[in-house]
């Protein structure tokens, strides 16, 4: 077979250059090693081809006849028998009546491993298959809500050369994804070449599309419009809040060095988001927070959701925010958009481009002209994401995750049942429009994707 990456021959200890012929074998620890084909022939290692690792693990290989490795029938039968006998654990029904089936994929007595390391890649391929690259490239491209580290936007910008916008208050952390490119993780499986505009690490590092980063939260008012775009004052407030948000075991919450919100923002419950779940103006003045009806409370709670959107831990007491007189104003002149400066030993780092969006007009334009709204495990931003996309008739795709029922007590299904479980959350989001579709993506964990296209709805 032909070498796709540089490596070292295990026999002659010389370099195997990319494009030269090599032969695989297993070492004493049953790990895959490589050698020159000429070295393997001289050592008598080319009589039998090694068994395909996918065939040994799952009894199937998507490469089929194009695969270099062997696919013996007896191995497939053994794998099928092993998988059929794989133990499963039926948990007791929870308080919502849902029973979860857990497969013991790491053996008895060992903690299960959730195989979802490349879930962003799976989600990206789904977007391409469902909506098409041409449509994803329209307008300002893909709007990634609650982006987390920015993995989905990074893959779209680097591998597909698409314009992307991250709506995420925290710094993006792209070093790990750059290393995946450097070491060729995205290019090793030729089955997925059709999903990439580039097929080598060198090409991926050459002039990737910049990732536009809006460091704000997706907070919607009663009109389902982002409150941070209301005016320049509200925009500055949300920019400052983004600078002091922190992520730790308690979730995403604010620091005690935040300025007081302007009165017209702090006085409106539906437009206020505080990581400590208190009204800033009321806290500073010592007054009671403004009251709100159930509808307004729901909008407020969706805005102060969890995870990447904004995640106060409901079981942890939150400190009150400090008065403005005792806290410095965050400096917006050095508005970073990426975290970390880790250096690789053999590859360039920090080559991806993140463009901070600090101008209100530009931020409005990029969000308004987005071709599609997406979210991979957006936590508390799932509801606002769907509502915004439906109002503006933009296609969307999101993979919901946590429910955070305590943060959203006013959220109810059409039947009147409170949203308390994962299935409740999926139903709640689907009830926003009867044409929203559902599909399971091929990775473990929370893998249900809800997606919608305005062409499906009248």
């Amino acid at each position: 077979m032909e070498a796709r990456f540089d490596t070292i021959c295990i026999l002659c200890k010389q370099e195997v250059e990319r494009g030269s012929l090599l032969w695989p074998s297993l070492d004493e620890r049953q790990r895959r090693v490589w050698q020159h084909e000429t070295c393997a022939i001289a050592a008598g290692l080319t009589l039998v081809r090694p068994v395909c690792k996918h065939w040994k693990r799952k009894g199937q290989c998507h490469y089929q006849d194009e695969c270099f490795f062997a696919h013996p029938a007896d191995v497939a039968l053994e794998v099928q028998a092993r998988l059929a006998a794989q133990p499963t654990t039926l948990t007791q029904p929870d308080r919502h009546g849902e029973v979860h089936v857990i497969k013991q994929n790491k053996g008895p007595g060992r903690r299960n491993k959730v195989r979802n390391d490349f879930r962003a890649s799976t989600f990206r391929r789904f977007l391409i298959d469902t909506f098409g690259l041409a449509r994803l490239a329209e307008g300002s491209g893909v709007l990634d809500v609650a982006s987390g580290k920015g993995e989905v936007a990074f893959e779209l910008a680097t591998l597909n050369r698409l314009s992307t916008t991250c709506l995420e208050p925290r710094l993006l952390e792209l070093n790990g994804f750059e290393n995946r490119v450097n070491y060729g993780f995205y290019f090793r499986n030729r089955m997925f070449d059709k999903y990439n505009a580039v097929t080598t690490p060198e090409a991926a590092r050459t002039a990737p599309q910049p990732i536009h980063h809006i460091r704000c939260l997706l907070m919607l008012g009663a009109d389902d419009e982002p409150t941070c775009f209301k005016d320049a004052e509200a925009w500055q407030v949300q920019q400052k809040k983004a600078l002091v948000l922190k992520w730790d075991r308690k979730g995403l919450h604010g620091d005690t060095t935040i300025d007081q919100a302007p009165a017209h923002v702090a006085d409106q419950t539906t437009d206020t988001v505080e990581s400590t779940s208190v009204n800033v103006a009321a806290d500073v003045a010592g007054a009671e927070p403004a009251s709100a009806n159930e509808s307004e409370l729901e909008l407020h709670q969706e805005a102060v959701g969890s995870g990447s959107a904004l995640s106060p831990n409901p079981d942890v007491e939150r400190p009150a925010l400090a008065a403005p007189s005792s806290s410095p104003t965050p400096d917006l002149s050095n508005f970073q958009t990426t975290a970390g400066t880790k250096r690789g030993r053999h590859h360039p780092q920090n080559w991806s481009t993140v463009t901070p969006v600090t101008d209100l007009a530009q931020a409005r334009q990029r969000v308004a002209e987005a071709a599609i709204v997406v979210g991979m495990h957006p936590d508390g931003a799932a509801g606002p994401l769907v509502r915004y996309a439906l109002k503006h008739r933009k296609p969307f795709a999101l993979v919901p995750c946590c429910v955070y029922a305590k943060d959203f007590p006013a959220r109810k299904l059409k039947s009147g049942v409170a949203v308390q479980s994962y299935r409740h959350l999926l139903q709640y989001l689907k009830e926003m429009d009867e044409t929203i579709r559902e599909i399971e993506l091929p990775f473990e964990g929370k893998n249900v994707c809800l997606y919608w296209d305005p062409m499906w709805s009248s």
Side-chain angles (χ1 to χ4, degrees):
M1 62 186 301
E2 187 177 289
R4 300 191 65 196
F5 305 95
D6 296 338
T7 186
I8 300 297
C9 175
I10 196 65
L11 296 178
C12 70
K13 308 302 181 182
Q14 300 298 316
E15 183 177 4
V16 179
E17 296 182 355
R18 184 183 307 175
S20 60
L21 296 179
L22 50 67
W23 190 270
S25 62
L26 299 176
D27 63 7
E28 64 278 0
R29 298 176 60 183
Q30 298 300 303
R31 296 178 302 183
R32 184 81 69 199
V33 293
W34 306 90
Q35 51 269 315
H36 292 102
E37 188 176 75
T38 55
C39 295
I41 292 174
L45 300 178
T46 59
L47 298 178
V48 180
R49 292 192 177 192
V51 178
C52 171
K53 64 178 182 180
H54 305 293
W55 194 260
K56 290 171 63 176
R57 187 172 69 245
K58 297 184 178 180
Q60 60 179 350
C61 175
H62 294 298
Y63 286 104
Q64 299 179 359
D65 295 338
E66 295 182 6
C67 183
F68 170 84
F69 298 91
H71 300 142
D74 58 332
V75 173
L77 293 176
E78 293 176 3
V79 171
Q80 292 173 7
R82 185 184 74 243
L83 294 178
Q86 189 177 53
T88 59
T89 300
L90 285 175
T91 62
Q92 294 294 325
D94 59 21
R95 57 194 179 95
H96 311 298
E98 296 184 359
V99 178
H100 306 279
V101 179
I102 302 176
K103 284 193 174 184
Q104 301 294 337
N105 57 17
K106 292 189 70 176
R110 301 181 65 187
R111 184 175 181 179
N112 274 359
K113 174 179 175 57
V114 179
R115 296 187 175 94
N116 62 1
D117 290 342
F118 284 87
R119 64 191 181 203
S121 298
T122 303
F123 185 50
R124 174 177 64 91
R125 292 193 291 269
F126 169 78
L127 295 176
I128 295 173
D129 287 337
T130 305
F131 300 100
L133 284 170
R135 194 166 185 192
L136 297 179
E138 294 177 356
S140 60
V142 179
L143 175 62
D144 186 10
V145 175
S147 313
K149 294 182 178 181
E151 184 173 7
V152 174
F154 173 83
E155 290 193 16
L156 289 168
T158 305
L159 304 180
N160 300 112
R161 299 301 202 240
L162 291 175
S163 177
T164 57
T165 304
C166 288
L167 193 61
E168 165 62 50
R170 295 176 293 166
L171 297 175
L172 304 182
E173 299 179 26
L174 306 179
N175 292 114
F177 313 131
E178 289 180 342
N179 281 333
R180 288 182 176 180
V181 171
N182 293 335
Y183 288 99
F185 278 86
Y186 297 114
F187 316 112
R188 292 185 176 180
N189 195 329
R190 293 180 178 175
M191 287 183 56
F192 301 137
D193 282 353
K194 64 180 181 180
Y195 295 102
N196 299 333
V198 293
T199 55
T200 64
E202 293 77 12
R205 290 193 296 264
T206 304
Q209 279 282 347
I211 302 172
H212 295 82
H213 187 193
I214 302 176
R215 291 190 63 182
C216 281
L217 303 161
L218 180 59
M219 304 174 297
L220 304 182
D223 56 354
D224 285 345
E225 293 292 343
T227 57
C228 59
F229 298 155
K230 178 182 295 185
D231 53 38
E233 191 173 9
W235 170 252
Q236 286 294 322
V237 167
Q238 295 306 322
Q239 294 273 284
K240 291 180 181 180
K241 288 179 182 178
L243 291 178
V244 296
L245 285 176
K246 294 183 177 180
W247 178 267
D248 55 26
R249 292 184 177 182
K250 298 179 182 179
L252 188 64
H253 57 86
D255 199 356
T256 57
T257 57
I258 188 172
D259 271 357
Q260 181 181 3
H264 78 277
V265 174
D267 290 342
Q268 299 183 28
T269 305
T270 58
D271 296 343
T272 305
V273 170
E274 298 303 334
S275 57
T276 55
S277 298
V278 296
N279 186 297
V280 178
D283 180 69
V284 174
E288 292 295 328
S291 60
N293 58 37
E294 184 175 280
S295 175
E296 293 173 331
L297 179 61
E298 170 65 16
L299 293 172
H300 171 58
Q301 288 162 338
E302 288 207 349
V304 298
S306 309
S308 295
L310 188 55
S311 172
N313 188 332
D315 298 323
V316 178
E317 182 179 356
R318 267 80 90 188
L321 298 179
S325 59
S326 61
S327 60
T329 300
D331 184 11
L332 292 178
S333 61
N334 186 22
F335 199 77
Q336 288 181 287
T337 56
T338 57
T341 56
K342 298 178 182 178
R343 298 290 176 180
R345 292 180 298 172
H346 309 294
H347 298 288
Q349 292 288 305
N350 301 319
W351 44 263
S352 53
T353 304
V354 178
T355 302
V357 181
T358 56
D359 179 70
L360 174 58
Q362 183 185 4
R364 283 173 174 168
Q365 181 179 11
R366 292 206 64 84
V367 172
E369 296 180 359
I372 183 173
V373 187
V374 304
M376 165 56 72
H377 290 182
D379 294 332
L385 186 157
V386 175
R387 287 164 40 207
Y388 177 82
L390 289 175
K391 175 176 180 179
H392 294 273
R393 299 191 62 77
K394 294 182 180 293
F396 72 81
L398 81 151
V399 182
C401 51
C402 303
V403 180
Y404 299 105
K406 292 183 180 179
D407 293 329
F408 304 109
R411 194 167 52 185
K412 288 180 171 55
L413 304 177
K414 290 184 178 179
S415 61
V417 176
V419 177
Q420 297 286 334
S421 68
Y422 180 62
R423 296 308 308 180
H424 286 166
L425 175 62
L426 295 177
Q427 183 179 348
Y428 170 77
L429 296 174
K430 291 174 65 177
E431 285 181 354
M432 294 185 182
D433 191 287
E434 60 182 9
T435 58
I436 294 177
R437 299 180 183 179
E438 174 183 327
I439 189 174
E440 286 191 8
L441 300 181
F443 60 82
E444 295 182 3
K446 295 295 191 296
N447 62 349
V448 177
C449 177
L450 303 180
Y451 61 107
W452 179 80
D453 193 311
M455 294 188 298
W456 303 338
S457 176
S458 58

